[in-house]
Amino acid sequence: MSGLGRRVKSKVCLYDMTKDGHFIIDRVPDHPNVILAAGFSGHGFKFGLTIGKVLMRMATHVDPGFDLTPFSMNRPAVKKQTAKL
């Protein structure tokens, strides 16, 4: 954007993604009142409405209507990543 002055800082193409490419949608172990939804990278916007509905149901202790096992924090691809933290 020319004419706005000197660029101070910029970042490009920042996104998060798990090793297996699947989202994380789960309760945080040892903190059942905290729900984590992450790893949506550049295509998460396509699922925004559904993810929002699932999170709302989880937060209100209603069956989310989906099997969330593939999005668990306890799957091998995520456990391997978080073990480094």
Side-chain angles (χ1 to χ4, degrees):
M1 297 172 52
S2 64
L4 294 179
R6 182 175 67 86
R7 181 181 67 214
V8 177
K9 184 178 180 179
S10 68
K11 292 184 180 181
V12 251
C13 197
L14 295 177
Y15 62 90
D16 57 347
M17 194 169 190
T18 59
K19 294 273 188 198
D20 61 8
H22 298 301
F23 309 146
I24 297 172
I25 305 171
D26 203 352
R27 293 188 181 275
V28 175
D30 301 324
H31 300 281
N33 60 327
V34 178
I35 300 169
L36 176 68
F40 297 101
S41 70
H43 65 277
F45 70 94
K46 295 183 279 188
F47 303 97
L49 294 174
T50 301
I51 298 298
K53 189 174 184 178
V54 166
L55 294 173
M56 179 272 305
R57 288 173 171 241
M58 290 176 72
T60 56
H61 303 284
V62 174
D63 181 351
F66 295 94
D67 176 14
L68 297 177
T69 305
F71 309 109
S72 169
M73 291 179 63
N74 293 319
R75 64 184 196 267
V78 176
K79 287 175 101 172
K80 186 183 253 185
Q81 281 181 293
T82 56
K84 297 177 185 177
L85 298 176

